[in-house]
Amino acid sequence: MRTKQKHTIKNTKIFKQNLLSWAQQFDEVLWLDSNNYSQKYSSYDAILAVDAFTAIQTDYFNAFEKLKEYYNTTSDWIFGYLTYDLKNDIEALKSNNDDALEFPDLYFFQPKKIFLIKGNTVEMLYLKAVDDEFKTDLVEIERSKNPIIEQASTINPIKIKLKIHKDEYFEKVTKVLSHINRGDIYEANFCQEFFAENTNINALETYNKLNAISKPPFATFLKLGTNYLLSASPERYIKKEGSKIISQPIKGTAKRDTDHIMDSILKNDLLSDEKERSENIMIVDLVRNDLSQTAKKGSVMVEELCNIYSFDQVHQMISTVVSDVKDRTNPIDIIRTTFPMGSMTGAPKISAMKIIEDLEETKRGLYSGSVGYISPDGDFDFNVVIRSILYSEANQYVSYSVGGAITAKSEPLKEYEECLVKAKAMRTVLEN
């Protein structure tokens, strides 16, 4: 169904920049970039999918069954996203909060052109209908130049607003703590939105700035018409390699410091922080339970527990949970039985989702959802949409949300400060 060609890249960094710049001519663009971050589980350094041949767009109702039918029908690579609000398809839940972005709940497309980058090689997979464009595209990509990153205009600066102000945040976290003390939940991931109205941004320039600051292993640039996701995500939601399933939840965050000694102290403090470790372990237990629904008996294992990974902006506590999936399990069923990811809900999952829906002011939408791909042989890789800017060009609305895990040991002020640490890169990019 697809014609393949491989090419050697002279300068991978420049090629990647030119490739993403060239892609802007299309209405459907999905760019996934590891930023050459060293990972045990990494199939590609970067992937680009452009120009929809077919697509599926739907609300949450019966969304996973529709996606399964679409995937089975195309029998091809599909790329797209799952919003957090697909929880309403899985459980008897609702999403009634404000939604100024208005992204569809689910969107996947079958691209005409795919670029798979690994080392100094790019593999191009083109549908037969466009496979006569290989040479022309390579010439155009070579000529494309990454736009110069300029300072934001001082004439029309972006003014960031808060949906939940500091005192109200404290009140809401106190309510979460009361649920925990009553035994309704053990942990809840409570989130808040920062936004700007009547705002236009250059999406690609903004993504480039954000990526330059953070250099995360699951960076994403998504363009679907006038809807954009500019993501500096450090977190993998779930990956399938053959029969092996890998989930890598993040729980536990500490800021970086320019002083090497102080930075090492912050890192060690995170590693030994009882509260942060308990957050992580609770979600590991939840992920183990989720994976068990499609796993062969006895195959769910914790491969690493509470390891510290250092990124440009923060230190993160990450665990890796793996399983061996049952034979003939549809890949969509693996996603459905683990979605939404536990790191963005809390535990028990359903009770936590109900409580945070009541306390949050904004419909999460694509934030705390997932972006990724499924290959024709059923392998897939999806990130967690955090540390991300969402932009509706049609609505002139820019948004980024941050959250944190609330447990019995949480202190509202420290949770608020952690949110500001997580929001720093997005705010810096938008306001400067």
Side-chain angles (χ1 to χ4, degrees):
M1 191 174 185
R2 288 187 180 269
T3 304
K4 300 180 183 180
Q5 283 198 15
K6 283 189 177 182
H7 297 274
T8 301
I9 306 169
K10 294 178 182 178
N11 186 314
T12 304
K13 182 178 179 181
I14 291 175
F15 181 82
K16 285 165 64 178
Q17 291 174 343
N18 292 353
L19 183 63
L20 186 53
S21 179
W22 167 83
Q24 300 308 303
Q25 65 185 289
F26 301 105
D27 287 332
E28 302 85 17
V29 179
L30 180 48
W31 169 252
L32 303 167
D33 191 356
S34 73
N35 283 294
N36 297 317
Y37 187 84
S38 179
Q39 299 178 62
K40 181 178 179 180
Y41 297 107
S42 180
S43 299
Y44 307 102
D45 295 333
I47 299 178
L48 174 70
V50 297
D51 199 12
F53 180 63
T54 65
I56 178 174
Q57 172 182 313
T58 183
D59 63 12
Y60 71 84
F61 183 74
N62 213 24
F64 284 100
E65 282 303 313
K66 292 174 184 175
L67 179 60
K68 185 188 294 187
E69 182 181 355
Y70 176 68
Y71 173 69
N72 292 340
T73 300
T74 59
S75 298
D76 193 14
W77 293 79
I78 61 171
F79 292 75
Y81 71 73
L82 310 157
T83 65
Y84 172 79
D85 302 285
L86 293 179
K87 64 182 174 61
N88 306 332
D89 181 36
I90 302 165
E91 305 292 346
L93 300 169
K94 297 179 180 179
S95 296
N96 296 321
N97 291 324
D98 290 341
D99 176 19
L101 287 162
E102 300 178 320
F103 285 20
D105 288 336
L106 179 149
Y107 191 105
F108 276 81
F109 70 99
Q110 176 191 15
K112 293 178 184 175
K113 304 176 182 183
I114 302 170
F115 299 77
L116 307 173
I117 300 172
K118 187 75 173 178
N120 65 344
T121 301
V122 58
E123 184 176 12
M124 303 165 67
L125 309 179
Y126 279 31
L127 289 178
K128 295 288 187 182
V130 294
D131 65 5
D132 59 339
E133 299 175 17
F134 278 118
K135 290 184 180 180
T136 304
D137 285 349
L138 282 171
V139 171
E140 289 184 4
I141 291 164
E142 184 71 25
R143 291 174 178 171
S144 294
K145 297 299 176 186
N146 206 40
I148 297 171
I149 297 176
E150 300 174 349
Q151 293 296 315
S153 171
T154 55
I155 300 172
N156 186 26
I158 294 175
K159 296 179 180 178
I160 302 296
K161 301 177 183 178
L162 288 75
K163 269 286 165 71
I164 301 173
H165 289 274
K166 190 174 182 179
D167 289 346
E168 188 181 5
Y169 177 86
F170 288 171
E171 291 174 7
K172 288 176 179 287
V173 170
T174 301
K175 289 180 180 178
V176 175
L177 288 169
S178 70
H179 282 288
I180 293 172
N181 292 332
R182 282 205 304 266
D184 300 332
I185 51 173
Y186 309 116
E187 177 180 336
N189 192 281
F190 176 62
C191 302
Q192 57 177 318
E193 183 194 16
F194 298 78
F195 68 99
E197 300 168 295
N198 302 314
T199 298
N200 291 302
I201 63 173
N202 183 310
L204 181 56
E205 283 190 14
T206 304
Y207 166 78
N208 285 333
K209 290 179 186 179
L210 183 62
N211 194 48
I213 288 174
S214 302
K215 298 184 181 68
F218 298 100
T220 303
F221 177 90
L222 174 68
K223 172 189 176 186
L224 296 173
T226 59
N227 294 335
Y228 293 86
L229 167 70
L230 323 171
S231 178
S233 175
E235 184 172 0
R236 168 177 279 130
Y237 155 44
I238 196 167
K239 178 180 174 70
K240 180 176 179 288
E241 287 184 349
S243 64
K244 188 170 187 176
I245 309 299
I246 305 106
S247 184
Q248 296 181 293
I250 290 179
K251 271 287 158 275
T253 303
K255 64 182 180 180
R256 300 294 307 267
D257 197 285
T258 53
D259 180 81
H260 177 71
I261 295 174
M262 182 54 69
D263 193 57
S264 294
I265 291 171
L266 290 168
K267 182 178 180 179
N268 288 328
D269 285 348
L270 176 60
L271 181 61
S272 59
D273 190 306
E274 185 181 341
K275 182 254 181 187
E276 301 282 19
R277 291 182 70 87
S278 67
E279 285 182 15
N280 196 295
I281 291 167
M282 286 181 201
I283 299 308
V284 166
D285 285 342
L286 189 154
V287 171
R288 290 172 61 211
N289 182 66
D290 283 350
L291 291 184
S292 70
Q293 296 183 64
T294 57
K296 291 179 180 176
K297 189 174 180 179
S299 70
V300 179
M301 298 177 61
V302 179
E303 203 168 77
E304 59 176 348
L305 185 64
C306 298
N307 281 7
I308 305 300
Y309 289 73
S310 297
F311 303 96
D312 283 15
Q313 294 288 307
V314 291
H315 299 294
Q316 301 276 195
M317 187 180 286
I318 304 177
S319 294
T320 300
V321 188
V322 300
S323 69
D324 191 22
V325 72
K326 294 174 185 173
D327 296 338
R328 294 182 293 279
T329 303
N330 190 287
I332 309 302
D333 290 331
I334 302 168
I335 296 168
R336 183 183 58 79
T337 52
T338 56
F339 195 83
M341 61 293 299
S343 61
M344 297 308 297
T345 60
K349 188 185 276 191
I350 298 173
S351 297
M353 288 192 289
K354 288 179 180 177
I355 289 166
I356 55 184
E357 178 70 30
D358 288 340
L359 292 174
E360 291 176 358
E361 297 291 332
T362 306
K363 179 181 176 181
R364 289 195 187 178
L366 187 46
Y367 169 70
S368 73
S370 186
V371 172
Y373 68 87
I374 309 175
S375 71
D377 59 6
D379 284 353
F380 55 71
D381 202 359
F382 285 87
N383 72 359
V384 178
V385 179
I386 52 175
R387 320 290 160 84
S388 301
I389 296 169
L390 291 160
Y391 172 46
S392 169
E393 187 177 29
N395 295 352
Q396 295 185 301
Y397 190 87
V398 175
S399 167
Y400 62 91
S401 295
V402 291
I406 311 302
T407 67
K409 296 180 182 294
S410 292
E411 298 175 23
L413 179 58
K414 288 186 178 180
E415 295 296 337
Y416 188 78
E417 289 172 346
E418 182 179 311
C419 285
L420 297 183
V421 169
K422 293 174 178 176
K424 182 181 178 183
M426 284 94 73
R427 186 157 200 155
T428 299
V429 162
L430 290 171
E431 289 192 335
N432 298 309

